[in-house]
Amino acid sequence: MRIATWNVNSVGARLPRLLSWLESNQPDVLCLQELKCDSDAFPHAEVRELGYETAAYGIGRWNGVAILSRVGLEDVQRGLVDQPGYEDAVEPRAIGATCGGVRVWSVYVPNGRVPGHAHYDYKLNWLNALRETIEAEKKLDLPFAVLGDFNIAPADVDVWDITAYADSTHVTAPEREALEKVLAAGLTDVLPRPLKYDHPFTYWDYRQLAFPKNRGMRIDLVLADARFADAITDSYVDREERKGKGGSDHAPVVVDLAV
């Protein structure tokens, strides 16, 4: 089974590349983030023609997550257990489903903006709700993984230059501690192969030639329980998909399982 995650940064803008990637890479399950559309506007028909069922969760031009599967799509859950809202709105940032006997969640963790901002506190509270959701999901007794854009670089090595992120989100101690608490629920951070260079960055800013200079971050993660992790035969960042005009600023992360 091949499972992947990809922040597409607008499924409408990226639709031709999404369909091409599905055809060429043939994932069994694809978790998407940052749809920037509501659920009804998702291109269900287009991906159905390629053999994929879809569960989407979006409410407009911001956020949004989805799971595409060609191995079944059951027990869909939209939103976390006791998920906090931001400015009185519960955002579409998490969706879970069972696909081919594997339980997966696609998540788009809040950015946090800057330390001390209300959005930063929201991010930490959201991660606490994610941990509670994982604890509840463990009762299903299925191989399990949470995939998506976590907007956190787990360690200093996961950014191209830690000094460039002084006083910035994504690398602060409270964010990393919140991520560690998520992992403490029984998950492992799966480190993919980079395919090029010495570290598997997954995101490169559009500005200042960040991609050609490889000034990236590893913030798109696969957090797996023991059964999921033990079945992994390969994992890599598809850096090629970040190339060229019209691409997302994130690259897909692909995991192959012997299940």
Side-chain angles (χ1 to χ4, degrees), residues 28-46:
D28 296 292
V29 180
L30 176 60
C31 297
L32 296 176
Q33 302 87 42
E34 204 169 355
L35 303 181
K36 294 184 178 178
C37 69
D38 62 35
S39 300
D40 292 338
F42 187 88
H44 299 278
E46 289 88 340

Side-chain angles (χ1 to χ4, degrees), residues 7-21:
N7 178 325
V8 290
N9 190 10
S10 176
V11 71
R14 237 60 67 189
L15 183 57
R17 294 186 69 140
L18 170 62
L19 297 176
S20 175
W21 194 85

